[in-house]
Amino acid sequence: MKILLINGPNLQLLGYREPGIYGDDTLEAITSRLRELAAELGCELIDFQSNYEGAIVDRIGETVAEGVSGIVLNPAAYTHTSVAIRDAIAAVKIPTVEVHLSNVHAREEFRRHSFIAPVCIGVVAGFGADSYELAFRGLYSHLRKQTKNKNH
Ligand code: DQA
């Protein structure tokens, strides 16, 4: 089972960027922990980070031909602005979990609205780097149930 991890703008700066909000872990550290978890569960983790909305839209579009089963997506600031990323998720119909390190609902008003959440199977926010692991486990469990239901 292939799972794609997508991180949006400024997340390449994790560890350095506002550590009081986003924590001390680098994106590399978070990704490598997630890769270990994926391997334990018998999955392959593919990771992608971009600061460009169009590049993220392109990457989502590629998932169909690649046979990706699910997506863990931190759209970062594009969460609150991007109809294009939302439409890409809706187009590929691949189960996606939206993830945030911070609790977006406890911050500025503009972070409370997500264009992406309505096309996702779930949202995890506020657990720092652990949000990624929780999102991955939620997605994995959803995909397992989906496969079982198809086979019965
Ligand atoms: C974020 C929350 C967004 O509002 C913000 O623009 C980010 C990071 C998070 O992981 O907490 O860049 O997605």
Side-chain angles (χ1 to χ4, degrees):
M1 191 188 280
K2 278 188 203 168
I3 307 287
L4 175 63
L5 167 67
I6 301 180
N7 280 288
N10 301 308
L11 295 171
Q12 84 281 11
L13 295 175
L14 284 180
Y16 172 80
R17 175 192 183 199
E18 302 182 87
I21 296 174
Y22 299 118
D24 299 318
D25 282 328
T26 61
L27 186 57
E28 209 184 348
I30 293 170
T31 305
S32 104
R33 285 206 299 272
L34 215 57
R35 183 162 289 116
E36 274 170 32
L37 174 65
E40 271 169 38
L41 297 172
C43 301
E44 182 192 343
L45 186 81
I46 309 167
D47 71 289
F48 179 76
Q49 189 277 328
S50 180
N51 296 323
Y52 298 91
E53 186 178 17
I56 296 171
V57 170
D58 281 348
R59 191 65 193 85
I60 293 167
E62 286 164 15
T63 55
V64 179
E66 263 174 325
V68 164
S69 302
I71 302 174
V72 174
L73 170 64
N74 185 345
Y78 290 140
T79 308
H80 320 295
T81 64
S82 183
V83 175
I85 294 176
R86 174 205 179 110
D87 285 354
I89 298 291
V92 299
K93 294 193 297 232
I94 290 175
T96 299
V97 178
E98 178 180 316
V99 47
H100 301 285
L101 296 126
S102 65
N103 179 357
V104 283
H105 298 285
R107 300 181 62 194
E108 300 95 328
E109 184 68 39
F110 68 84
R111 293 187 205 274
R112 289 198 191 153
H113 177 256
S114 169
F115 278 101
I116 318 295
V119 294
C120 290
I121 59 164
V123 179
V124 179
F127 297 97
D130 289 347
S131 290
Y132 286 91
E133 181 181 330
L134 295 166
F136 190 97
R137 287 188 185 278
L139 176 63
Y140 177 77
S141 162
H142 174 91
L143 294 171
R144 285 291 301 266
K145 280 183 207 147
Q146 218 180 34
T147 317
K148 268 188 205 151
N149 289 343
K150 263 187 204 152
N151 294 339
H152 285 110

